[in-house]
Amino acid sequence: MTPLQIEAGGQTYTFDGTRPVTIGRDPQCDITLTGGTVSRSHAEIRPDGTSWTLVDVGSSSGTFSNGTRVSELRLSGMGSVRVGGPDGEEVRYALAGARPAVAPDQVALPAPGLEQTVLPGGSVPGAYVAGPALLVRAAGVSKRFVPGTMVRIGRDPANEFVVDDASVSRLHAVVEGRPDGWWYVDRSTAGTFDGEDQVRTRKLEEPTTLMLGHPTAGVEIEVVPIVEARQAQKAIAGKKRKRTALLVGGVVGALVLVGGGVTAAAVLGDDDDSGGGTDAPPAAIPGLSEDELDRAKGATVFLVSVENGEPVSTGSGSIIDESGLILTNAHVADQSAPGFEYPAAAPDYLIVGIPPADNVDGPVELRYRANAVATDGPLDLSVIQINADVDGNPVSPDDLDLPTPLPLGDSSQVRTGDELVALGFPGLAAVDLEDPFARPVTITEGVASTIKSVPPFGDNAWIESDLRLGSGNSGGPTINDDGEIIGVNTEVRTRETQGEDGQGGVFTSGSALMRPAQWAADVIAAAETGQTYSSPWVSQMGEEPDAPDMTTDAAAAAAGWSIDGAGTCANESTTDVPQILAGATFPGRVYAEYLAEGIPDGTPIELQFYSLDGATQLGSTPAEWQFGSEQVCVPFYVDIAESIPGLIAVLVVGDLQVANPVMFQ
């Protein structure tokens, strides 16, 4: 085990690796620091038999390596960390016998407001975690952060991203780099808002604009996971092609099972701002009797998607069979279905809330659990089966106590101008409720505005209506004047979702889209018979074109580094004899140059960055080759925030991995 030497607080220590080294303000720690931002038990340096790893053990002010907050950092060579934030105490380390990774007197914290960047998508130095980098923008300031970083946002100057406004808390929020991606977590008293919705915790899977401190008068901040260019282009193309807001329902607070019941801490918001429903009864509809409407109310169910024991979204559905089959949307019940436009993991289960039999206008009772048994991703339709009570105890279809199922009508007979009624449980209708899970069914009335033909489905692909729907209505039924299901509430289109670039024009309200019930027939049949369902539309939805094949002549070679990016490829650099680049100043920009040929445009590439000894990955940036397949010298710019002795840039193209090291003088 390599001995570890530490210099901190004016003292020098040596540890042999027989036990962890504790760091903190507590006098019992192996290394005692007296700084005001140091926690009593701040960090540990743990041996693993071959090397040492520094671990922050939950300190309040953090541990930093070259300006980047780290939770774990594998130590190599010589270096330093700062314990307790930018104004904390420096701890220098050295593994005995190792050559310096960086001279301690050359380490400098970044200047205030400096972008810590190594290409779009990485920061140097710091612990590397696989995944996208993060861009944060507010008030004209942009900063990028390496995967795995914890980004504190607020008024406190010690935060990684400072927002100096009276409406913002000193520590307003953190964006955490977790193994599954970036998560926004509100820590404020004033709140974070996405439109009318308050955001407490949200996984960031696309560029997201939020308001800090107030829904309209707060500070606007944008958080952007920086994904690979092809993925970003696909997302943009999808929005231009469709620009619809799926009604996946309201994200809700902590779910607690109590004596067979369910309570919630809070409603955290909806996934779109498409407007809400109203709980006012509809005007009299010719032919729709009170009994038929009451039957529809009783058979319309409230659905709560649950993952890892916590609710993540809400939706609606219709009981269509006394055995416990419920018709809803795929985006409510099973986003993992092949061909679904916005794929995600399916929930662990859905909780089913049913209106009380003696008062169909009353709040639902959360009584059962269900899972998807047949789903058509392209059609956004799913049938779920009740299989347990709300506590998870299995139940037989013969033991269910359900309202009268809703029959399916002939949606092909719907004509423009026909009166329609939509039922469901929009999140907006629950904002004023003490228990947002105790929602009554909401009714809205409208007419069929258009019967839309959409490729690849052809005629009768959508029923478009002026019905008012809101987040949480998804999957609920739209019925005709006979009380039959003729559509499944699926999407809302508003000026905000359709009007960008002028293609939606100007209109005063939104349009609701219902998937006609005729499209659900095969999905329901498969669910009723227990057969495996495969959507016939998956093969017609189009596939992402394959990345260009690299030719057998594809080649790339390291051509050294330059300060001006002239692209001459006149230098040489190898791991045995790294190029020494004189005249570079930091913070500043340098260029890694590669001589390449035979790489078609559109080929995925990646630049990876390592410490000079190759032991620590500092970051990475995915991109696409756009320089042609003829022989070309390509300079990639690298923005370096702080003085470092050097690094290795590795160009990865298919099976090619070309290392280009540099030492700065």
Side-chain angles (χ1 to χ4, degrees), residues 238 314 347 454 626:
T314 64
V454 178
Q626 298 293 344

Side-chain angles (χ1 to χ4, degrees), residues 375-394:
T375 302
D376 192 304
L379 290 173
D380 198 358
L381 293 172
S382 185
V383 175
I384 64 176
Q385 170 72 62
I386 293 174
N387 51 31
D389 64 20
V390 72
D391 293 319
N393 302 307

